[in-house]
């Protein structure tokens, strides 16, 4: 059963990783764990445009898919598809993303990242958003995708 | 820094989810959380060939990418690429996968899943395997992909 908008906001406010899927230059899927920030119905992420496969893949294929899931029961998951808007990083946004995962570590990381010439922010407004909360139904839901 | 083979085995023995990336029929990336079993250097996974997007995607594009990451520090991640071999399910394999995630729940799930006519097992021998252990280096590794 899908989550409500409020439940999705609460789930994505937890400092989980997302798994960010792109298509590589050969037309094959690629996926990487990434930090993210969910704010006002959009994902904010960061990568490097040249030094990361994820960033380079956007050149050949702008569509991405993002998966966030709880590792423990009750299983919950959010999956979105869309085309991220790529923009230069602002210190505020880098900090907002990185400090979700620890204040001191995030600050140190953002300071270094802001000096990388190819560091970018990705803003991803979902074109589609799927969500599941397995606690609401039997474990063999026809909508189930965890297994 | 990569993990050793023993560290990879220990990491993948933990009951984490993987995030399984395919290419959909339109050539766009798709990603789903999935259960898995890592045994003797191969991933064993299960899906439904018809009732799941993941299973249907294999018709048009047999290559997949799989990402497993720790949510907590020290960050560790394993990513593999390959072409899964799709086969009919055996009860033993379904149980071996599902009971990793809880014995009673796994047994109940496997009993139901084995009755699904399109249930399949996917055996994925990695063509490439990448691993990272961020505790071995500064948080801004040139190999880093978590952020």
């Amino acid at each position: 059963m899908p989550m409500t908008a409020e439940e999705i906001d609460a789930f994505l406010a937890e400092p989980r990783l997302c798994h960010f899927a792109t298509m590589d230059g050969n037309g094959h899927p690629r996926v990487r764990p990434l930090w993210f920030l969910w704010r006002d119905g959009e994902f904010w992420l960061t990568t490097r445009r040249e030094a990361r496969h994820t960033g380079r893949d956007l050149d050949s294929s702008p569509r991405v898919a993002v998966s966030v899931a709880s590792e423990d029961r009750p299983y919950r998951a959010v999956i979105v598809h869309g085309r991220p808007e790529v923009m230069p990083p602002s210190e505020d946004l880098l900090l907002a993303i990185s400090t979700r995962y620890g204040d001191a570590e995030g600050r140190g990381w953002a300071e270094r990242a802001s000096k990388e010439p190819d560091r970018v922010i990705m803003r991803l407004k979902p074109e589609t958003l799927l969500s599941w909360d397995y606690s609401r139904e039997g474990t063999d839901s026809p909508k189930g995708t965890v297994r």
Side-chain angles (χ1 to χ4, degrees), chain A residues 4-96:
Chain A
T4 66
E6 292 72 24
E7 289 167 338
I8 289 169
D9 286 347
F11 177 64
L12 296 177
E14 298 168 15
R16 303 181 183 284
L17 299 176
C18 73
H19 292 254
F20 189 88
T22 54
M23 201 167 70
D24 73 17
N26 295 317
H28 300 151
R30 192 195 312 275
V31 59
R32 290 286 190 273
L34 274 188
W35 284 349
F36 73 90
L37 168 69
W38 172 255
R39 180 186 278 174
D40 299 333
E42 296 179 325
F43 278 94
W44 296 84
L45 311 106
T46 175
T47 188
R48 296 179 64 175
R49 204 70 171 84
E50 303 296 333
R52 296 286 183 274
H53 285 295
T54 294
R56 293 199 298 270
D57 284 350
L58 300 175
D59 286 336
S60 49
S61 182
R63 290 191 63 92
V64 306
V66 176
S67 170
V68 183
S70 58
E71 298 254 328
D72 298 318
R73 289 185 174 82
Y75 287 132
R76 288 163 294 156
V78 169
I79 292 170
V80 305
H81 298 89
R83 298 164 194 257
E85 176 189 354
V86 178
M87 59 187 76
S90 76
E91 181 84 13
D92 283 354
L93 275 169
L94 289 180
L95 276 171

Side-chain angles (χ1 to χ4, degrees), chain A residues 1-4 7 11 67-79 130-147:
Chain A
M1 190 167 166
M3 288 190 260
T4 66
E7 289 167 338
F11 177 64
S67 170
V68 183
S70 58
E71 298 254 328
D72 298 318
R73 289 185 174 82
Y75 287 132
R76 288 163 294 156
V78 169
I79 292 170
L130 308 170
S131 72
W132 292 270
D133 180 341
Y134 288 89
S135 67
R136 301 265 183 78
E137 57 203 327
T139 53
D140 201 16
S141 154
K143 287 266 187 193
T145 57
V146 167
R147 58 212 93 161

